[in-house]
Amino acid sequence: MRRSQFATRTGVIAATVGSAVGLGNIWRFPYETGMHGGGAFIIIYIACVLLVGIPVIVSEFAIGRGTHKNAKGAFASLAPDSPLRFVPYMGIFASMLILSFYSVVAGWILEYLYQSVACIFDSASSQAYADRFTGFITDSYRPAIWAVIFLSINFLVLRRGIEKGIERISNILMPLLFVILIVLCINSLTLPGAKQGLSFLFKPDFSAVSPSMVIGAMGQAFFSLSLGLTCLLTYASYFSDSTRLVRSASITAALDTLVALMAGVLIFPAVFTYGMEPQAGPTLVFVTLPEIFAQMPGGHIWSVLFFILLFFASITSTISMSEISISFFIEEHKMSRNRATGLNTLICMVFSIVCALSFGSLGNFTVCGLTIFNLFNYLSSNILLPLGGMAIAIFAGWVVNRRFLNSQILLPGESPTVASRCLIFCIRFVAPVAIAVIFISGLL
Ligand code: PHE
């Protein structure tokens, strides 16, 4: 049977940017920036994207597009005896962990979308917003039900396959996401606290730079760009041979960073206008923002739009995480697409129910002092993604032969340029060394 491919060039970009743009940009980036003091974090983040992010994206793209196979098949066909053969399995494992806690947060978004549509938000005290959020996430079944609903929607898209499922939904949702984001940003920029919000976001205070901030920026870059799991490798296996990899990688990184910055522009002016705390952390979107929406003229509509935005961003990311194991089940274990998608969904549903309940009834169940949700989050983002990214860059830069990498980076007949040489240098030296240094300093 002919292997599926994305049908158009726009489809390639929409799907890849859809994978990258997600809760990482709209939920995690603003709170990480807020907690690390604003502008300086953003500069370090952008340096991580340029020096490590783009080289690792290109490595994943080259391995995927060069073989047109799932990650396990790709590694096996390029270097069957390499000790890095474990990377695809680690990717499958990490993708299931991320999918499990990610769909819990996506479930919270569905609940908040429902509450916004039903006009349940009203002007109450700040404490009431915090209590409502805590009450909801510690509930004994509601968060689990929403996570299961979210994974079922994810299943319905994925079983339709690459072109009719993933490409079509990305082509529709990504432009809509940009439109909603622009409308929300314009609204935020008209608020009285806009200037203060923007200067918090863009004026760097270098005294805030610390090792933990650099680790945070690097972890954020990996999570946000969907790196280290072989997720982009899997998508690239559906690219055609004429797709320009470096250009697609640069567009993906640029749009992903743009969306993260826009999410900051959307959130911080409102935070300063209504006298809230920019350092609120993970509850920024679920506690601070609803309170802001309730005070804003037309807040009901802004709130509905905002949670639709978050829903679109999350579903296009979860389909990409799921495709890692689905392509593995289909190609390595000869399963039908329906079966493979069903199996992935079932496994993740079980894990995500446990994660969802780890704020309430399963809260006492901890490993190394972490609840299951936090354990999955920590293990995947801080350990498995950077390790996977480092292994992928080493595989592309050192294990696979040099001609292969050049043939993927350049078009047929093109000779190496200064830019392509710099890129290969970053893949071979800068990315693995930077990841190793940051990773080790994080463990100390
Ligand atoms: N990049 C996605 C986001 O920013 C999350 C993600 C991580 C998606 C890993 C796929 C793989 O939300």
Side-chain angles (χ1 to χ4, degrees), residues 234-276:
T234 309
Y235 265 17
S237 71
Y238 306 124
F239 289 1
S240 79
D241 288 332
S242 60
T243 303
R244 302 197 70 138
L245 299 188
V246 180
R247 186 192 290 166
S248 308
S250 313
I251 297 178
T252 306
L255 290 179
D256 186 69
T257 308
L258 180 70
V259 172
L261 293 176
M262 286 171 83
V265 170
L266 144 67
I267 289 176
F268 290 109
V271 166
F272 283 99
T273 303
Y274 294 98
M276 307 280 176

Side-chain angles (χ1 to χ4, degrees), residues 23 29 36-38 57 61-62 74 93 126 137 147 163 171 199 257 280 292 308 333 336 351 382 387 404 409:
L23 297 178
F29 180 81
H36 289 109
I57 304 181
F61 277 1
F93 178 62
S126 301
I137 62 170
E163 211 185 308
N171 277 336
S199 81
T257 308
I292 290 174
I308 292 182
H333 292 279
S336 68
F351 280 150
N382 295 17
L387 268 186
F404 172 84
I409 290 180

